Amino acid sequence: MPSLTRMSDSNDRRPLAVFDIDNTLADTDHRQHFLEGRPRDWDGFFGAAPADPPLARGVALAVEQAADCEVVYLTGRPERCRADTQEWLTRHGLPEGRLWMRGNQDRRPARTTKLEVLRRIARGREVRMLVDDDELVCQAARAAGFRAVLADWAADAPELKSAQEGEGRT
């Protein structure tokens, strides 16, 4: 799949628990200001991501799911953020897992890119759940037969939601 790439393959055959990162595991509130102006400052927004504090409810759910599932990460962050993202996941004690990221030039809505990946990784593998803060992503996943959990524990981020759907940026 050219638009999203993954970290590595796994021989683990447990069901998958798929987690979004921004506003599911990582609190993006401190960097929302980069999205308020026009044009949006995407370099600033993603450059500030390593300073994201973890969201305790999301991290606890990922750790809990790791007991029975292989945890993987499905983010709308662009591929150029891979090293920072992997370091952030490790630093905050999240389970090791594959990391699926948006291609640097992919501007499709998050609901489109994420559902495409879910369908791909579900071939031959049970996806036990998707956890995401984007209601449209969750709706699309449910309509396709996946169990989706809406991560509603972060502060409302209207500029981020607009970017997810309209600009295909995260």
Side-chain angles (χ1 to χ4, degrees), residues 1 3-4 18 20 74-77 102 106-120 130-146 148 150 160-170:
M1 151 179 213
S3 62
L4 290 172
V18 182
D20 174 45
L74 174 56
T75 181
R77 290 181 183 187
R102 179 188 297 275
D106 187 347
R107 299 288 187 266
R108 296 175 296 156
R111 63 187 158 85
T112 302
T113 58
K114 289 184 177 183
L115 187 57
E116 185 176 287
V117 172
L118 277 174
R119 285 183 170 140
R120 181 175 180 191
L130 164 71
V131 183
D132 200 295
D133 71 304
D134 187 330
E135 193 164 338
L136 293 174
V137 169
C138 289
Q139 288 173 0
R142 286 184 195 113
F146 295 100
L150 181 63
L160 181 60
K161 290 193 183 309
S162 169
Q164 287 171 326
E165 184 60 21
E167 298 178 37
R169 292 288 190 137
T170 185

Side-chain angles (χ1 to χ4, degrees), residues 4-9 18-21 25 70-89 95-102 117 121:
L4 290 172
T5 56
R6 61 194 161 120
M7 187 167 69
S8 65
D9 285 321
V18 182
F19 284 82
D20 174 45
I21 297 175
L25 300 171
E70 177 185 355
V71 173
V72 298
Y73 304 95
L74 174 56
T75 181
R77 290 181 183 187
E79 179 64 38
R80 69 180 179 274
C81 299
R82 179 173 291 278
D84 285 344
T85 302
Q86 288 174 317
E87 191 278 329
W88 187 93
L89 292 166
E96 185 176 326
R98 290 179 290 175
L99 175 59
W100 299 78
M101 304 189 83
R102 179 188 297 275
V117 172
I121 64 177

Side-chain angles (χ1 to χ4, degrees), residues 5 7 13 20 28 32-33 41 60 64 67-68 87 91-93 117 132-133 140-141 143 148 152 164 168:
T5 56
M7 187 167 69
R13 300 311 302 167
D20 174 45
T28 66
Q32 293 302 312
H33 65 94
D41 181 0
E64 174 187 306
D68 297 318
E87 191 278 329
R91 181 167 26 105
H92 293 289
V117 172
D132 200 295
D133 71 304
D152 59 1
Q164 287 171 326

